[in-house]
Amino acid sequence: MTRWTRKLPLAALPLVALAAPLSAQAADVRDAAATLTDPVAADRMAETVTVLVDALMRTNIGPLAEAIARVDPDSDAAYIPHDATLGDVTGSDPDAGRRMGDDVRATSRMAGHLATAAAAYAPVLKDMARDMAAQWQRERDAARR
């Protein structure tokens, strides 16, 4: 702990905590922004989600329903056919995986734009936090005179 932070009252610590890691975080945010705005990376994420959702919807849940029905014969699981898939039971349409993949692409682009803006504003936020901490110190010193 430095001499400065020992003298710094607890009320000012959030300002210091905000200012200190911003430059390191800005680099991380820029890296994230680059990945999120990369169309190839977005396509990979979207294809992964599409394949996973499609596979989940084709998963046979009939045997699981039978096991549940044996434990609880009054449950609705007793009415699920042996060859039922998760998609059958949830009423999912065949395009659910593709739509979710498209949502991943759109969300990735928007998150990339947000991360780009956050990285651009990081130096300004760091300066603001430093200025606010200094102003707070001046106000505190003035109030104690």
Side-chain angles (χ1 to χ4, degrees), residues 46-73:
E47 288 304 314
T48 300
V49 167
T50 300
V51 168
L52 287 172
V53 169
D54 286 344
L56 281 172
M57 291 301 119
R58 287 192 310 269
T59 300
N60 183 338
I61 61 163
L64 175 62
E66 288 173 5
I68 293 170
R70 278 195 297 275
V71 173
D72 181 6

Side-chain angles (χ1 to χ4, degrees), residues 19-105:
L22 278 178
S23 58
Q25 289 175 348
D28 292 343
V29 171
R30 280 191 297 275
D31 291 345
T35 300
L36 291 167
T37 56
D38 178 10
V40 174
D43 282 342
R44 264 188 261 132
M45 287 185 284
E47 288 304 314
T48 300
V49 167
T50 300
V51 168
L52 287 172
V53 169
D54 286 344
L56 281 172
M57 291 301 119
R58 287 192 310 269
T59 300
N60 183 338
I61 61 163
L64 175 62
E66 288 173 5
I68 293 170
R70 278 195 297 275
V71 173
D72 181 6
D74 296 328
S75 75
D76 289 341
Y79 302 104
I80 295 175
H82 180 73
D83 62 345
T85 65
L86 183 59
D88 295 335
V89 174
T90 62
S92 176
D93 69 65
D95 290 332
R98 183 192 51 77
R99 276 197 329 278
M100 289 183 104
D102 291 344
D103 289 349
V104 166
R105 281 184 189 88

Side-chain angles (χ1 to χ4, degrees), residues 39 55 137:
Q137 185 69 44

